[in-house]
Amino acid sequence: MPEATSEATPEAVPEAMVELRQLSRSFGALTAVDRLSFVVGRGELFGLVGPDGAGKTTTLRMLAGVLRPTSGDALVAGASVAREPEAAKHHLAYMSQRFGLYTDLTVRENLDFYADLYRVPRRQRPARLERLFEFSNLGPFQDRLAGQLSGGMKQKLGLSCALVHEPDVLLLDEPTFGVDPVSRRELWLIVHEMVGRGVTAVVSTAYMDEAERFDRLALLHRGRVLALDDPRTLQETLPGTQLAVTADDPRRARQVLRDLPGVSQADLFGDRVHVSLEGEGMDVADGGAQTVAAALRDAGLGAVEVRPLAASMEDVFMQRIAAAEREEAA
């Protein structure tokens, strides 16, 4: 497959806070991260989006100074993670998927512990903790043991502990994984508030519905960047015409459509099939929708409905993966 670094130059992003320069990491014969190059600016909410195994966690661990790059480098607030990882750590907070909360300490004791760890001055702590309690809604639970918190509350406490020293750069590894919808929303409100105050946030997620929250994002697949842009541009520039198809047998409908000339992509989304049409005569106005419906009826499928579809980030990702795999196979 052709090299796909999708580079953004420092000039394209004002006041770069995170800059990846051909950043790579291998584990034996496996290349987990393959020559990533992009820049994240101050106060930007940047996403690393992709499925398990895409390289998201490995990338964040290198940016956090936890894992050394095999080759290339990255700068965090101007400090090299390859040459001086300890210097980079002073400017950032890293919240891994399994953040190190102490279950036998209370909420307040955990926050005090991390304030000690980050050497937050004593005189600054009352105001800082009050603000953390305010936007995390953990104030009423500050005397509860962390081990007795719900999953969503544990994530909010972990994020509060990561923010206690007011870092310039926030690295979050799938912070909403396994969290209930209400807690997910509250976690995102905290992140957006910090970004609004000028914190740079690099957040990984496998949830495509969360991808639209980012100012910009990198779609990752097998350690490489498939696309790098803001969500709206990625959706608006998806090639071809998008259709949503319902039929009484969605799996069979998908197979029929994959074999139909002019269909570049057909994937199941719940009980519907999302279809990408490319080629002459296959847009909605010229009868592409009618062609799709006729092909399904000819195959004996009933309850067929075909309608135009605004591309989602999941559509973008599936199309990009399919294109990359076609190039690799060729």
Side-chain angles (χ1 to χ4, degrees):
M1 185 170 64
E3 181 178 344
T5 55
S6 298
E7 294 190 17
T9 63
E11 293 75 21
V13 179
E15 197 175 355
M17 291 299 292
V18 178
E19 182 178 351
L20 281 67
R21 299 175 174 177
Q22 297 287 300
L23 188 68
S24 301
R25 174 69 196 200
S26 298
F27 298 94
L30 172 67
T31 300
V33 173
D34 191 2
R35 294 166 291 172
L36 298 189
S37 295
F38 54 80
V39 177
V40 184
R42 180 180 290 278
E44 185 173 14
L45 178 55
F46 188 91
L48 299 176
V49 181
D52 292 343
K56 305 185 301 295
T57 295
T58 301
T59 300
L60 288 176
R61 291 183 69 197
M62 286 190 286
L63 293 178
V66 175
L67 190 64
R68 290 273 186 157
T70 302
S71 62
D73 197 1
L75 303 181
V76 177
S80 164
V81 301
R83 298 188 306 274
E84 46 182 352
E86 292 303 316
K89 289 179 183 178
H90 294 300
H91 300 280
L92 62 86
Y94 170 49
M95 181 177 164
S96 63
Q97 290 181 6
R98 296 181 179 179
F99 191 79
L101 292 176
Y102 292 88
T103 56
D104 56 346
L105 297 180
T106 66
V107 168
R108 177 61 181 260
E109 288 169 341
N110 268 280
L111 284 165
D112 283 336
F113 172 78
Y114 278 94
D116 288 339
L117 194 65
Y118 289 123
R119 299 179 181 178
V120 178
R122 291 279 177 183
R123 65 182 181 279
Q124 296 180 10
R125 293 190 191 188
R128 199 167 296 189
L129 292 180
E130 182 180 353
R131 185 164 62 249
L132 290 170
F133 283 139
E134 181 180 352
F135 64 61
S136 68
N137 294 318
L138 288 174
F141 308 98
Q142 59 183 294
D143 295 323
R144 182 176 295 185
L145 292 177
Q148 296 177 354
L149 299 174
S150 67
M153 292 173 72
K154 285 179 180 176
Q155 288 295 84
K156 287 191 288 185
L157 176 55
L159 182 52
S160 296
C161 290
L163 292 169
V164 74
H165 66 302
E166 298 187 346
D168 297 315
V169 177
L170 182 60
L171 307 176
L172 303 178
D173 192 7
E174 299 199 40
T176 60
F177 178 77
V179 174
D180 66 88
V182 173
S183 294
R184 277 179 74 181
R185 179 177 179 275
E186 291 175 345
L187 280 163
W188 278 112
L189 287 173
I190 295 172
V191 173
H192 281 289
E193 180 169 335
M194 298 311 298
V195 169
R197 295 182 178 186
V199 173
T200 300
V202 181
V203 185
S204 72
T205 183
Y207 297 134
M208 292 297 155
D209 61 314
E210 293 187 338
E212 297 180 15
R213 293 181 174 273
F214 298 116
D215 298 321
R216 287 187 308 134
L217 59 90
L219 284 176
L220 298 184
H221 180 57
R222 296 177 183 172
R224 291 190 173 189
V225 175
L226 294 183
L228 175 62
D229 215 322
D230 67 88
R232 178 174 292 183
T233 298
L234 290 173
Q235 290 168 297
E236 291 176 348
T237 57
L238 187 68
T241 297
Q242 314 304 313
L243 300 175
V245 176
T246 57
D248 54 13
D249 187 342
R251 293 185 180 277
R252 186 159 169 251
R254 176 186 61 177
Q255 191 55 53
V256 168
L257 294 174
R258 283 181 171 177
D259 296 334
L260 184 66
V263 172
S264 60
Q265 190 76 15
D267 295 292
L268 281 175
F269 286 73
D271 61 352
R272 298 186 302 174
V273 183
H274 286 197
V275 182
S276 296
L277 305 179
E278 294 185 48
E280 185 177 353
M282 289 299 282
D283 60 41
V284 175
D286 289 336
Q290 290 84 348
T291 300
V292 165
L296 293 173
R297 294 192 182 100
D298 290 345
L301 288 159
V304 173
E305 181 186 0
V306 182
R307 57 183 178 81
L309 176 71
S312 68
M313 284 307 305
E314 195 161 359
D315 293 315
V316 172
F317 188 66
M318 296 301 293
Q319 192 274 345
R320 294 278 186 164
I321 287 180
E325 290 180 344
R326 285 196 299 269
E327 290 179 6
E328 190 173 47

